[in-house]
Amino acid sequence: MSTLRSHDDTWDIRTSVGSTAVMVAAARAVETDQPDALIRDPYAKLLVTNANAGVLWEAMLDPAVAAKVEKLDAEAAAMVRHMRGYQAVRTNFFDTFFADAVAAGIRQVVILASGLDSRAYRLDWPAGTTVYEIDQPQVLEYKSATLADNGVTPSAERRAVAIDLRQDWPAALREAGFDPSARTAWLAEGLLMYLPAEAQDRLFTLIGELSPAGSRIAAETATSHADERREQMRARIKKIAEQIGLEQTIDIGELMYRDEHRAPVAGWLNDHGWRASAVSSGDEMQRLGRWVAEVPMADDKDAFSEFVTAERL
């Protein structure tokens, strides 16, 4: 269980779970600048640098910082490369999921806990597509205002649904115009690890109630790292941050729920009216040339999430 979470905690883009969205956007920004980039997110850097979420996240955009980490601890540097590569592969996988969904005629999209996801702005959506983004009010406000202030407009009809997923979000979604009779493409990316097992099951139950046949869902599963290895890496990262003068204000591991009763996502969906399949993120990283063999958990299957996709029967 997480020691920093409570049933009624909240956050903005600079605190708690909200700050992890900045980390993910920073990784997307770095990938976008690579000559062999898997994805293109032209708004990620803008969203990171305006967040003022702490120097640790912004430092990810600086190649000089990566070089310093490499000199101090090659294995920790491999972890940084792994994280960046993982985020690129994850983003690419779910971008493809949405491309396939709209190619199949789906025109209603819901991104759960959308954070600094810019897909409503950067993907090429067909005419008539509506993208609903659900997240904490302050997170959605920051993204909307930052992009609008810089002249960035959505490429689909975007509707922000400002509500905590622990509240009655289906009602808020309907009030925003969501049509429960229309086929929908759902995304739960970077979300399940911040939910306890019971809340994960409840989330998918509610999604099922809002999804007619032919709807689709994609999700990133929560991983299960060995406690000893997690503590070792936490100590090493803390030491390196101190050596190069970076402020580490958030311990991401302490924001996650490590719940041994968590149901396997693909299996749960297959048992509840969906046809689901799963792809190992490690396999996907190898396929796309982003595998980092030097990471300490390279031989730990449970340390790698799965990317699950499913269709409602």
Side-chain angles (χ1 to χ4, degrees):
M1 294 291 289
S2 169
T3 60
L4 296 182
R5 304 295 310 285
S6 65
H7 74 281
D8 60 352
D9 56 338
T10 187
W11 50 84
D12 59 18
I13 202 62
R14 289 179 288 276
T15 59
S16 188
V17 177
S19 71
T20 67
V22 183
M23 174 197 72
V24 174
R28 291 199 305 268
V30 172
E31 177 66 21
T32 297
D33 288 340
Q34 302 306 307
D36 59 344
L38 292 177
I39 58 144
R40 284 273 310 153
D41 188 343
Y43 312 121
K45 186 178 293 186
L46 173 66
L47 290 168
V48 172
T49 55
N50 282 273
N52 297 317
V55 294
L56 184 61
W57 303 149
E58 293 184 20
M60 288 182 58
L61 304 177
D62 187 353
V65 172
K68 290 180 181 178
V69 174
E70 186 75 48
K71 290 182 179 179
L72 290 169
D73 189 329
E75 197 170 82
M79 282 294 300
V80 173
R81 294 197 306 276
H82 164 79
M83 186 188 71
R84 290 174 177 169
Y86 173 81
Q87 296 297 340
V89 167
R90 184 180 82 170
T91 302
N92 177 76
F93 185 92
F94 294 126
D95 282 359
T96 301
F97 163 77
F98 279 132
D100 291 343
V102 296
I106 292 175
R107 295 294 181 268
Q108 186 165 252
V109 170
V110 179
I111 302 177
L112 301 157
S114 58
L116 297 183
D117 186 311
S118 65
R119 290 185 174 95
Y121 297 83
R122 66 179 179 80
L123 294 187
D124 185 15
W125 300 103
T129 302
T130 302
V131 179
Y132 295 88
E133 295 188 351
I134 304 178
D135 211 323
Q136 297 268 351
Q138 293 182 76
V139 174
L140 290 174
E141 289 169 6
Y142 166 74
K143 178 168 62 178
S144 298
T146 300
L147 294 178
D149 290 347
N150 285 274
V152 182
T153 58
S155 53
E157 182 176 353
R158 174 182 176 267
R159 298 184 184 178
V161 183
I163 190 169
D164 192 303
L165 286 169
R166 292 165 294 189
Q167 300 171 358
D168 189 2
W169 62 266
L173 189 59
R174 291 190 194 94
E175 289 175 5
F178 176 84
D179 181 1
S181 68
R183 291 187 302 153
T184 302
W186 302 83
L187 177 61
E189 177 188 29
L191 167 60
L192 300 184
M193 64 284 292
Y194 302 115
L195 300 177
E198 182 180 355
Q200 175 178 301
D201 293 350
R202 175 68 173 162
L203 178 74
F204 287 126
T205 297
L206 293 172
I207 291 172
E209 293 172 355
L210 296 169
S211 300
S215 294
R216 301 185 182 190
I217 188 169
E220 172 196 18
T221 66
T223 58
S224 177
H225 297 273
D227 287 341
E228 181 180 358
R229 181 166 288 171
R230 183 186 301 108
E231 290 301 323
Q232 289 174 349
M233 288 309 302
R234 177 181 294 155
R236 291 172 70 171
I237 291 173
K238 182 176 184 294
K239 180 180 179 180
I240 291 171
E242 292 173 348
Q243 288 178 312
I244 61 179
L246 294 180
E247 180 184 6
Q248 187 180 15
T249 57
I250 297 292
D251 186 336
I252 295 175
E254 287 301 317
L255 299 175
M256 300 178 182
Y257 285 93
R258 298 182 288 279
D259 197 328
E260 62 183 11
H261 302 296
R262 189 185 299 276
V265 174
W268 192 98
L269 291 171
N270 279 324
D271 290 340
H272 291 81
W274 300 80
R275 181 174 59 248
S277 61
V279 174
S280 164
S281 62
D283 290 346
E284 193 71 355
M285 290 181 74
Q286 292 190 50
R287 184 180 74 84
L288 293 174
R290 290 298 186 273
W291 179 252
V292 181
E294 300 87 351
V295 293
M297 74 284 198
D299 59 347
D300 183 359
K301 182 179 179 181
D302 291 337
F304 290 88
S305 66
E306 290 183 331
F307 301 146
V308 176
T309 54
E311 183 172 357
R312 189 70 166 161
L313 301 176

